[in-house]
Structures are given as C-alpha cells and as structure tokens.
Amino acid sequence: MKSTPLTQVHIDLGAKMAEFAGYNMPIQYAGITEEHQAVRNNVGVFDVSHMGEFIIKGKEALDLVQKISSNDVSKLEINQAQYSCIPNMDGGIVDDFLVYRLPEDNCAEGEQAFMLVVNASNIEKDWNWIKSHNTFDAKMTDISDQTGLLAVQGPNAVKALQGLCDIDLSEIGYYTFRKGTFAGIDNVVISATGYTGSGGFELYCPSEHLKELWEAIFNHAKDFDIKPIGLGARDTLRLEMAFCLYGNDIDDTTSPLEAGLGWITKLKAENNDFNNKAYFVDQKANGLERKLVGFVLDGRRVPRHGYKIVNEQDEEIGYVTSGTQAPSLGHPIGLGYVPKDLAKIGNKLLIKAGRKNIEATIVKPPFYKG
C-alpha cells in the first residue's frame, strides 16, 4: 500500500486504517457518526492526498481538456473550477473529475493552464486516456505525488481557518479558488468545491509541507474543537447529498445521462466536441432505459452496494449502488439504477436483502436539505 505524508499521523491518532484506492487511509477516528456530525455542525479535516492532480498547459490546453471532458471548459474564468466527467467510447465514464482554470502568470503568451483533479484509483487510467487523446499543443504533467490535499469541511470552516491566511475566505464562492500563502506556506490553492454539503475548503500544497499544514490548522483551530475525519464519514456525508462515487454509482458502464449528470454533459454547446458526444446526443433523443434514483427505507436494514432491486414477482429490475444509515436523518438511504418508467418520485421499490425484501420509496435528492 502507498502512504500519504500524514499516514503516520493518522496511526498515532489511533485511526482505524484500511486500504483505499491503493493507499493506507484513515477510515475513522472516534467513530463515523460522531465525525459525520462534527462536519455537519462544526468543522473537520480530511486527508485526501491520495487524489490525483494533472497540469495541462499550452496554447491548445483548452482544446485537449474540451476533448476529454463532457462539460464546457471554455466557460471557465481564471480562478474558477468545474465538475465534469471523462466519457469513454462505449457510452460510459472513464472517471469524474474537477477542472481548475489556473492563473496565467507562469504561462507564455497565448498559453492557458488547467489543473485536473481525478480519483485516486483512476490516476494511471486517466493519465493514459488523456495522453492518448493529446494531439494538441499541450503539455501534460502529473503532480499527484508532489501534491498534498486537505479538505476542511463544515459550517465553521471560515472562522476556523481565517487567521491562517490573508485571503478573505468568505469571498471564495462555490466552485472558485484562490492561490496564496496559507499558514506561512507559499503557493497553496484554496478552493471551495466540497463533497459534504456543509461548506468548507480544499487546500492543495506541496507534499513536503502537508504535515506542517495539518499541524498549523489543528493548533490554530483547537478552540473550535476541530476534528480529524476519516473516509467513512466522508462517504456518509456525500451520500446524504446524493453525490456520485466513482466505482459505486458511476463507472465505465454507466452513462452520465443515466446517472443524473446531464447538467455536466453539454450536448448543445457548439465548441465542445468531446469524445463520443454523438452517442449521448442519440441516447437523449431516443430516451434512457434506466436512471439512478435515490430512495429511503423506514426500517434499520441498510441497503448495500450490489443488492438487487426486484419487483413484486421477485424478478430483478435493478441494483443498489450505494447505501448507508444516514446520521443526519436517522434512517437508511440509498442510490440505485432502475428502469426509467419506474424512476418516479414516490414510487415503491423492493430491495432484496438476503431472504427478505425491504420496501423503499424513491425521493428527490439530495436526502439532506441542510
């Protein structure tokens, strides 16, 4: 297993560690429910340094990113970010990712620069995919190993962090970022993309300074009772918001349109002729066969990834992609694919859990309304 610069810190804190995307990562410290509530109600810190980062730079950098991205990257201004996915040639998704349009102070005339943030399990796959489509005047650089990343999430994130930097954190709007000095560390990217639904920031810095950054945050924000948070609570938080997780809710076989990601699949934009765009245009015109839906359960039984969704005749009609006992709501929730004609709000589903079928009700996401 790989380590992040903070692996030993997590072990020393007594975290329950496990392999995730090839990395030895903290799953929980005090407990998933307690950590979940700390983020919902206060502030917590995640080590997400396992994520991958690529720099795309050059006179045709935009052309390359447009080619591999379903969204319209041309809409980005400097210091803005965008959520997108990488379509494959079979109607599925190579990965979902973030695009940051970087300042051009280190660019030659006519050049642009972007940072792509990809899932840890897909770093090599994404790199090879993008490289195979780089027929443009664009240089690719993989900075994943040189980049550390903390996510400081929760409603008190601004108050907890503000004293560590000169940038007014309250002015960093959703899906925007700034680059500056943070806790005395230069060239820190401070962004507000979020994966929890409770606000906060992502802090990208050189890996060699990550431990210094972690310690500065906890020392400065100790009066806020700031907590370290594991990946277990990260999953419950994102699922309450119905945010997709690659490998569960989306993968190489799922269409972004099926997954409810039509809003990042710009089929009408004229200047983003991305890979396999025609397929998705046809799919939308012909109608989807299935859709990803959110559902709630009344009992305590949690729907698990891979559970079958069946009809009253006990015939399989779909499957669960994610499920959990939602700490903010007090009952189980889940996501899963079902036939489009059954994907209506209020419809009842049956989740097959062993020998028992559990009734679920389709609801409009997100589950957590804040």
Side-chain angles (χ1 to χ4, degrees), residues 138-273:
K139 180 182 179 182
M140 299 172 53
T141 307
D142 183 354
I143 62 168
S144 303
D145 290 342
Q146 293 79 47
T147 305
L149 174 57
L150 301 180
V152 185
Q153 297 283 291
N156 285 328
V158 171
K159 295 178 182 178
L161 298 180
Q162 186 56 77
L164 290 169
C165 66
D166 293 333
I167 298 169
D168 187 345
L169 297 177
S170 66
E171 293 184 354
I172 301 179
Y174 197 42
Y175 271 81
T176 69
F177 68 96
R178 296 292 184 272
K179 191 174 183 179
T181 300
F182 192 100
I185 302 167
D186 294 331
N187 297 316
V188 176
V189 171
I190 309 163
S191 71
T193 60
Y195 194 53
T196 66
S198 287
F201 304 94
E202 300 78 44
L203 307 173
Y204 299 83
C205 76
S207 292
E208 63 266 26
H209 294 302
L210 190 67
K211 185 178 180 182
E212 176 186 348
L213 180 62
W214 173 279
E215 292 174 347
I217 290 171
F218 278 92
N219 288 334
H220 180 80
K222 58 186 177 182
D223 290 343
F224 288 91
D225 195 27
I226 193 168
K227 302 288 189 184
I229 313 295
L231 295 184
R234 190 166 178 82
D235 192 53
T236 58
L237 288 158
R238 72 90 191 170
L239 187 47
E240 286 187 347
M241 296 303 298
F243 291 150
C244 289
L245 174 65
Y246 193 89
N248 279 44
D249 314 301
I250 53 175
D251 57 33
D252 288 294
T253 68
T254 58
S255 157
L257 303 183
E258 296 172 337
L261 298 177
W263 61 281
I264 63 165
T265 310
K266 303 300 185 183
L267 302 179
K268 294 183 179 180
E270 296 180 356
N271 59 341
N272 68 331
D273 186 22

